[in-house]
mmCIF file of all heavy atoms in Angstrom:
data_model
loop_
_atom_site.group_PDB
_atom_site.id
_atom_site.type_symbol
_atom_site.label_atom_id
_atom_site.label_comp_id
_atom_site.label_asym_id
_atom_site.label_seq_id
_atom_site.Cartn_x
_atom_site.Cartn_y
_atom_site.Cartn_z
ATOM 1 N N TRP I 225 1.846 -19.712 1.930
ATOM 2 C CA TRP I 225 3.052 -19.960 2.723
ATOM 3 C C TRP I 225 2.756 -20.987 3.797
ATOM 4 O O TRP I 225 3.553 -21.907 4.047
ATOM 5 C CB TRP I 225 3.535 -18.624 3.289
ATOM 6 C CG TRP I 225 4.448 -18.601 4.477
ATOM 7 C CD1 TRP I 225 4.268 -17.856 5.593
ATOM 8 C CD2 TRP I 225 5.691 -19.291 4.670
ATOM 9 N NE1 TRP I 225 5.292 -18.046 6.469
ATOM 10 C CE2 TRP I 225 6.179 -18.925 5.929
ATOM 11 C CE3 TRP I 225 6.407 -20.193 3.924
ATOM 12 C CZ2 TRP I 225 7.366 -19.422 6.465
ATOM 13 C CZ3 TRP I 225 7.592 -20.684 4.445
ATOM 14 C CH2 TRP I 225 8.060 -20.291 5.685
ATOM 15 N N TYR I 226 1.600 -20.853 4.469
ATOM 16 C CA TYR I 226 1.219 -21.809 5.495
ATOM 17 C C TYR I 226 1.009 -23.198 4.907
ATOM 18 O O TYR I 226 1.480 -24.193 5.454
ATOM 19 C CB TYR I 226 -0.050 -21.344 6.208
ATOM 20 C CG TYR I 226 -0.575 -22.327 7.216
ATOM 21 C CD1 TYR I 226 0.067 -22.527 8.428
ATOM 22 C CD2 TYR I 226 -1.650 -23.140 6.918
ATOM 23 C CE1 TYR I 226 -0.366 -23.457 9.348
ATOM 24 C CE2 TYR I 226 -2.107 -24.084 7.813
ATOM 25 C CZ TYR I 226 -1.473 -24.238 9.044
ATOM 26 O OH TYR I 226 -1.903 -25.191 9.939
ATOM 27 N N LEU I 227 0.292 -23.269 3.768
ATOM 28 C CA LEU I 227 0.066 -24.571 3.132
ATOM 29 C C LEU I 227 1.355 -25.213 2.666
ATOM 30 O O LEU I 227 1.494 -26.445 2.742
ATOM 31 C CB LEU I 227 -0.932 -24.427 1.980
ATOM 32 C CG LEU I 227 -2.371 -24.142 2.404
ATOM 33 C CD1 LEU I 227 -3.262 -23.923 1.181
ATOM 34 C CD2 LEU I 227 -2.938 -25.247 3.271
ATOM 35 N N LEU I 228 2.293 -24.405 2.183
ATOM 36 C CA LEU I 228 3.603 -24.933 1.797
ATOM 37 C C LEU I 228 4.276 -25.597 3.006
ATOM 38 O O LEU I 228 4.831 -26.707 2.903
ATOM 39 C CB LEU I 228 4.488 -23.809 1.241
ATOM 40 C CG LEU I 228 5.919 -24.220 0.940
ATOM 41 C CD1 LEU I 228 5.951 -25.196 -0.245
ATOM 42 C CD2 LEU I 228 6.788 -23.009 0.657
ATOM 43 N N TYR I 229 4.204 -24.931 4.151
ATOM 44 C CA TYR I 229 4.803 -25.493 5.365
ATOM 45 C C TYR I 229 4.123 -26.815 5.735
ATOM 46 O O TYR I 229 4.795 -27.798 6.055
ATOM 47 C CB TYR I 229 4.658 -24.480 6.524
ATOM 48 C CG TYR I 229 5.161 -24.983 7.837
ATOM 49 C CD1 TYR I 229 6.520 -25.090 8.093
ATOM 50 C CD2 TYR I 229 4.290 -25.361 8.853
ATOM 51 C CE1 TYR I 229 6.997 -25.554 9.300
ATOM 52 C CE2 TYR I 229 4.736 -25.808 10.065
ATOM 53 C CZ TYR I 229 6.112 -25.916 10.303
ATOM 54 O OH TYR I 229 6.559 -26.360 11.486
ATOM 55 N N VAL I 230 2.796 -26.865 5.684
ATOM 56 C CA VAL I 230 2.062 -28.078 5.984
ATOM 57 C C VAL I 230 2.410 -29.199 5.013
ATOM 58 O O VAL I 230 2.648 -30.343 5.411
ATOM 59 C CB VAL I 230 0.541 -27.825 6.014
ATOM 60 C CG1 VAL I 230 -0.232 -29.109 6.128
ATOM 61 C CG2 VAL I 230 0.181 -26.885 7.159
ATOM 62 N N LEU I 231 2.444 -28.880 3.733
ATOM 63 C CA LEU I 231 2.757 -29.897 2.715
ATOM 64 C C LEU I 231 4.194 -30.397 2.862
ATOM 65 O O LEU I 231 4.444 -31.601 2.747
ATOM 66 C CB LEU I 231 2.523 -29.345 1.314
ATOM 67 C CG LEU I 231 1.063 -29.114 0.936
ATOM 68 C CD1 LEU I 231 0.961 -28.390 -0.389
ATOM 69 C CD2 LEU I 231 0.331 -30.449 0.904
ATOM 70 N N LEU I 232 5.118 -29.482 3.121
ATOM 71 C CA LEU I 232 6.508 -29.928 3.350
ATOM 72 C C LEU I 232 6.582 -30.818 4.578
ATOM 73 O O LEU I 232 7.305 -31.821 4.583
ATOM 74 C CB LEU I 232 7.425 -28.722 3.487
ATOM 75 C CG LEU I 232 7.746 -27.950 2.229
ATOM 76 C CD1 LEU I 232 8.555 -26.696 2.551
ATOM 77 C CD2 LEU I 232 8.511 -28.819 1.239
ATOM 78 N N SER I 233 5.867 -30.465 5.624
ATOM 79 C CA SER I 233 5.876 -31.263 6.841
ATOM 80 C C SER I 233 5.302 -32.660 6.590
ATOM 81 O O SER I 233 5.758 -33.635 7.183
ATOM 82 C CB SER I 233 5.099 -30.581 7.948
ATOM 83 O OG SER I 233 5.694 -29.368 8.304
ATOM 84 N N SER I 234 4.281 -32.711 5.721
ATOM 85 C CA SER I 234 3.627 -33.989 5.469
ATOM 86 C C SER I 234 4.399 -34.878 4.467
ATOM 87 O O SER I 234 4.441 -36.082 4.644
ATOM 88 C CB SER I 234 2.223 -33.756 4.915
ATOM 89 O OG SER I 234 1.455 -33.081 5.879
ATOM 90 N N TYR I 235 4.935 -34.267 3.437
ATOM 91 C CA TYR I 235 5.478 -35.051 2.331
ATOM 92 C C TYR I 235 6.986 -34.941 2.137
ATOM 93 O O TYR I 235 7.546 -35.659 1.323
ATOM 94 C CB TYR I 235 4.768 -34.683 1.030
ATOM 95 C CG TYR I 235 3.281 -34.974 1.083
ATOM 96 C CD1 TYR I 235 2.373 -33.952 1.172
ATOM 97 C CD2 TYR I 235 2.829 -36.285 1.081
ATOM 98 C CE1 TYR I 235 1.000 -34.225 1.231
ATOM 99 C CE2 TYR I 235 1.471 -36.580 1.144
ATOM 100 C CZ TYR I 235 0.578 -35.531 1.224
ATOM 101 O OH TYR I 235 -0.776 -35.800 1.316
ATOM 102 N N ALA I 236 7.631 -34.051 2.805
ATOM 103 C CA ALA I 236 9.080 -33.895 2.651
ATOM 104 C C ALA I 236 9.759 -33.995 4.020
ATOM 105 O O ALA I 236 10.496 -33.085 4.440
ATOM 106 C CB ALA I 236 9.393 -32.578 1.952
ATOM 107 N N GLY I 237 9.471 -35.086 4.706
ATOM 108 C CA GLY I 237 10.012 -35.267 6.054
ATOM 109 C C GLY I 237 11.528 -35.243 6.119
ATOM 110 O O GLY I 237 12.114 -34.699 7.055
ATOM 111 N N ASP I 238 12.198 -35.825 5.108
ATOM 112 C CA ASP I 238 13.651 -35.827 5.107
ATOM 113 C C ASP I 238 14.198 -34.414 4.991
ATOM 114 O O ASP I 238 15.140 -34.034 5.671
ATOM 115 C CB ASP I 238 14.177 -36.687 3.952
ATOM 116 C CG ASP I 238 13.904 -38.148 4.152
ATOM 117 O OD1 ASP I 238 13.673 -38.576 5.334
ATOM 118 O OD2 ASP I 238 13.879 -38.911 3.164
ATOM 119 N N PHE I 239 13.576 -33.618 4.103
ATOM 120 C CA PHE I 239 14.020 -32.219 3.965
ATOM 121 C C PHE I 239 13.781 -31.414 5.258
ATOM 122 O O PHE I 239 14.648 -30.709 5.690
ATOM 123 C CB PHE I 239 13.289 -31.564 2.780
ATOM 124 C CG PHE I 239 13.500 -30.072 2.716
ATOM 125 C CD1 PHE I 239 14.755 -29.543 2.363
ATOM 126 C CD2 PHE I 239 12.484 -29.182 3.029
ATOM 127 C CE1 PHE I 239 14.956 -28.174 2.275
ATOM 128 C CE2 PHE I 239 12.698 -27.816 2.994
ATOM 129 C CZ PHE I 239 13.936 -27.322 2.622
ATOM 130 N N MET I 240 12.595 -31.574 5.812
ATOM 131 C CA MET I 240 12.250 -30.815 7.022
ATOM 132 C C MET I 240 13.098 -31.250 8.209
ATOM 133 O O MET I 240 13.355 -30.469 9.108
ATOM 134 C CB MET I 240 10.762 -30.982 7.363
ATOM 135 C CG MET I 240 9.850 -30.378 6.328
ATOM 136 S SD MET I 240 9.994 -28.597 6.149
ATOM 137 C CE MET I 240 8.809 -28.080 7.337
ATOM 138 N N GLY I 241 13.558 -32.489 8.204
ATOM 139 C CA GLY I 241 14.397 -32.986 9.290
ATOM 140 C C GLY I 241 15.868 -32.667 9.134
ATOM 141 O O GLY I 241 16.674 -32.983 9.992
ATOM 142 N N THR I 242 16.245 -31.989 8.046
ATOM 143 C CA THR I 242 17.628 -31.640 7.803
ATOM 144 C C THR I 242 18.121 -30.707 8.895
ATOM 145 O O THR I 242 17.548 -29.654 9.162
ATOM 146 C CB THR I 242 17.797 -30.947 6.429
ATOM 147 O OG1 THR I 242 17.304 -31.811 5.425
ATOM 148 C CG2 THR I 242 19.242 -30.588 6.163
ATOM 149 N N ARG I 243 19.207 -31.091 9.553
ATOM 150 C CA ARG I 243 19.782 -30.272 10.625
ATOM 151 C C ARG I 243 20.579 -29.126 10.008
ATOM 152 O O ARG I 243 21.357 -29.323 9.122
ATOM 153 C CB ARG I 243 20.676 -31.100 11.517
ATOM 154 C CG ARG I 243 19.891 -32.044 12.372
ATOM 155 C CD ARG I 243 20.798 -32.784 13.339
ATOM 156 N NE ARG I 243 19.982 -33.651 14.158
ATOM 157 C CZ ARG I 243 20.132 -33.769 15.448
ATOM 158 N NH1 ARG I 243 21.113 -33.123 16.054
ATOM 159 N NH2 ARG I 243 19.364 -34.591 16.129
ATOM 160 N N LEU I 244 20.295 -27.940 10.532
ATOM 161 C CA LEU I 244 21.041 -26.765 10.092
ATOM 162 C C LEU I 244 22.235 -26.519 10.982
ATOM 163 O O LEU I 244 23.339 -26.268 10.491
ATOM 164 C CB LEU I 244 20.093 -25.556 10.051
ATOM 165 C CG LEU I 244 18.901 -25.701 9.106
ATOM 166 C CD1 LEU I 244 17.985 -24.494 9.235
ATOM 167 C CD2 LEU I 244 19.388 -25.846 7.672
ATOM 168 N N PHE I 245 21.996 -26.556 12.275
ATOM 169 C CA PHE I 245 23.089 -26.448 13.249
ATOM 170 C C PHE I 245 22.549 -26.953 14.598
ATOM 171 O O PHE I 245 21.408 -26.665 14.953
ATOM 172 C CB PHE I 245 23.656 -25.030 13.372
ATOM 173 C CG PHE I 245 22.620 -23.955 13.544
ATOM 174 C CD1 PHE I 245 22.191 -23.575 14.790
ATOM 175 C CD2 PHE I 245 22.058 -23.336 12.435
ATOM 176 C CE1 PHE I 245 21.233 -22.601 14.949
ATOM 177 C CE2 PHE I 245 21.112 -22.363 12.582
ATOM 178 C CZ PHE I 245 20.683 -21.972 13.842
ATOM 179 N N GLY I 246 23.364 -27.718 15.295
ATOM 180 C CA GLY I 246 22.938 -28.272 16.586
ATOM 181 C C GLY I 246 21.654 -29.071 16.411
ATOM 182 O O GLY I 246 21.544 -29.918 15.553
ATOM 183 N N ASN I 247 20.684 -28.798 17.284
ATOM 184 C CA ASN I 247 19.399 -29.486 17.195
ATOM 185 C C ASN I 247 18.358 -28.682 16.389
ATOM 186 O O ASN I 247 17.173 -29.008 16.423
ATOM 187 C CB ASN I 247 18.841 -29.737 18.602
ATOM 188 C CG ASN I 247 19.598 -30.826 19.321
ATOM 189 O OD1 ASN I 247 20.140 -31.733 18.671
ATOM 190 N ND2 ASN I 247 19.668 -30.721 20.636
ATOM 191 N N ILE I 248 18.790 -27.691 15.698
ATOM 192 C CA ILE I 248 17.885 -26.835 14.898
ATOM 193 C C ILE I 248 17.794 -27.414 13.492
ATOM 194 O O ILE I 248 18.796 -27.547 12.786
ATOM 195 C CB ILE I 248 18.419 -25.361 14.840
ATOM 196 C CG1 ILE I 248 18.694 -24.820 16.235
ATOM 197 C CG2 ILE I 248 17.440 -24.495 14.063
ATOM 198 C CD1 ILE I 248 17.505 -24.745 17.139
ATOM 199 N N ASN I 249 16.567 -27.732 13.087
ATOM 200 C CA ASN I 249 16.357 -28.277 11.737
ATOM 201 C C ASN I 249 15.496 -27.327 10.911
ATOM 202 O O ASN I 249 15.010 -26.293 11.389
ATOM 203 C CB ASN I 249 15.757 -29.678 11.788
ATOM 204 C CG ASN I 249 14.401 -29.712 12.442
ATOM 205 O OD1 ASN I 249 13.752 -28.688 12.654
ATOM 206 N ND2 ASN I 249 13.959 -30.913 12.778
ATOM 207 N N VAL I 250 15.293 -27.670 9.649
ATOM 208 C CA VAL I 250 14.552 -26.831 8.710
ATOM 209 C C VAL I 250 13.128 -26.629 9.204
ATOM 210 O O VAL I 250 12.573 -25.523 9.131
ATOM 211 C CB VAL I 250 14.565 -27.454 7.310
ATOM 212 C CG1 VAL I 250 13.631 -26.700 6.374
ATOM 213 C CG2 VAL I 250 15.979 -27.477 6.749
ATOM 214 N N ALA I 251 12.481 -27.668 9.720
ATOM 215 C CA ALA I 251 11.088 -27.577 10.189
ATOM 216 C C ALA I 251 10.982 -26.542 11.311
ATOM 217 O O ALA I 251 10.021 -25.755 11.323
ATOM 218 C CB ALA I 251 10.610 -28.927 10.672
#
Side-chain angles (χ1 to χ4, degrees):
W225 160 229
Y226 175 75
L227 289 176
L228 175 68
Y229 177 74
V230 171
L231 290 172
L232 287 174
S233 296
S234 297
Y235 298 107
D238 292 338
F239 170 70
M240 295 296 270
T242 303
R243 289 184 178 223
L244 299 175
F245 49 90
N247 288 331
I248 308 298
N249 62 14
V250 172

